[in-house]
Amino acid sequence: MKRKKTAVQTNICTARRLWTNLSREALIRLREIATQHDFSVSAGDLIYLNNGWYVTHTGLVGLARRKRCSGIHVEAVDSLCDSRANRFVLKATVFPSKGSSGFVGYGDADPSNVSSLVRGAEMRVAETRAVNRALRKAYGIGICSVEEIGTIPNSVEKPSPQNANGNGNGTGAKVRDRLCQIIRQHKLDPKLVKAYAVDFCATNTLRDASREQVENFVQHLADSAKNDRDSLLCRLNNYMRPKQEVVA
């Protein structure tokens, strides 16, 4: 009980620092959501946009791990896909337990309903949306995931083309430069940070992560390094590969 109370207080403090315009109702709602599903604001599980809370793909995947999800199956709905038009519809089935019949969710994406920052990655966006919807059904998450919305409300997007992971020129370079600055300033191991980033973004490689996911990670890393560097170092050390034993 004491641990949960501390976690709730940490969530509220972090949320107030990140979003200064939070109302009393928003904080009450945060307390309910975070307590019910053990979400963490500092870990990037929740985002506050346009006076409402959104769960992230990171938060949903983390919840599935905690609940020991049995598996997730994803397949394309061929009859609704058009690769020439970059229009994709995917079906995800989440199996919370081995005996479960599964919870189904569909995700669609095309150039008209994705951010310009992830143009060209419509199939991956559709997959993430499908998985998110299936996970929300499986675990009774009543709030929408941020990846399901077309664009981030009130965000400023530059028309210049970017790679889906934000590794292009312009604003992508700024994100990369800020990450490097954080690593240098707080003397972090770049390899461990990269491994942590992949786990945070819930992707196979960092290149597969969307720009929004990378930005969320960089902000999370900056907050963690500033507020509790020792705790961050302990977390990074978890990604250190054990040395191979020498066979005599």
Side-chain angles (χ1 to χ4, degrees), residues 27 132 187 191 211:
L27 292 174
N132 284 8
K187 299 179 180 179
K191 292 183 179 179
R211 176 178 173 76

Side-chain angles (χ1 to χ4, degrees), residues 7-218:
V8 169
Q9 292 174 342
T10 300
N11 274 325
I12 291 177
C13 291
T14 303
R16 281 176 169 168
R17 185 176 67 253
L18 294 176
W19 303 286
T20 57
N21 63 333
L22 289 178
S23 64
R24 181 173 178 273
E25 291 73 17
L27 292 174
I28 292 175
R29 182 61 175 150
L30 170 61
R31 184 190 299 270
E32 294 173 350
I33 298 170
T35 302
Q36 182 178 2
H37 303 292
D38 197 21
F39 286 142
S40 169
V41 173
S42 62
D45 296 343
L46 297 169
I47 290 181
Y48 188 71
L49 294 170
N50 269 19
N51 301 318
W53 289 104
Y54 290 82
V55 66
T56 66
H57 183 67
T58 299
L60 290 171
V61 171
L63 176 62
R65 288 176 178 171
R66 292 192 296 274
K67 297 291 187 179
R68 297 185 178 181
C69 176
S70 180
I72 302 175
H73 175 74
V74 182
E75 59 183 318
V77 183
D78 294 332
S79 60
L80 300 177
C81 294
D82 184 354
S83 59
R84 289 176 297 181
N86 285 335
R87 184 181 299 111
F88 300 94
V89 177
L90 274 73
K91 171 186 175 182
T93 306
V94 170
F95 302 93
S97 61
K98 291 183 179 180
S100 172
S101 58
F103 293 82
V104 175
Y106 291 87
D108 68 287
D110 60 60
S112 70
N113 65 7
V114 301
S115 167
S116 61
L117 298 173
V118 291
R119 294 282 165 77
E122 284 83 2
M123 178 179 285
R124 282 179 285 170
V125 173
E127 178 187 20
T128 299
R129 289 174 176 176
V131 170
N132 284 8
R133 288 187 63 81
L135 286 172
R136 292 199 295 111
K137 287 182 180 180
Y139 297 107
I141 309 299
I143 58 175
C144 184
S145 67
V146 69
E147 288 84 5
E148 290 179 69
I149 59 180
T151 58
I152 299 297
N154 295 332
S155 64
V156 178
E157 298 181 2
K158 294 190 176 182
S160 57
Q162 296 285 333
N163 290 335
N165 60 359
N167 287 335
N169 298 322
T171 55
K174 292 180 181 179
V175 175
R176 184 173 61 250
D177 291 344
R178 187 187 179 202
L179 177 60
C180 293
Q181 181 183 9
I182 295 170
I183 292 174
R184 290 195 302 268
Q185 180 181 354
H186 298 282
K187 299 179 180 179
L188 306 177
D189 187 315
K191 292 183 179 179
L192 298 183
V193 170
K194 183 177 180 180
Y196 183 26
V198 171
D199 190 26
F200 183 92
C201 297
T203 55
N204 293 326
T205 66
L206 192 57
R207 186 178 296 276
D208 294 330
S210 69
R211 176 178 173 76
E212 293 162 6
Q213 289 176 311
V214 175
E215 286 179 336
N216 288 337
F217 171 74
V218 173

Side-chain angles (χ1 to χ4, degrees), residues 242-248:
K243 295 181 179 179
Q244 295 182 348
E245 295 182 0
V246 178
V247 181

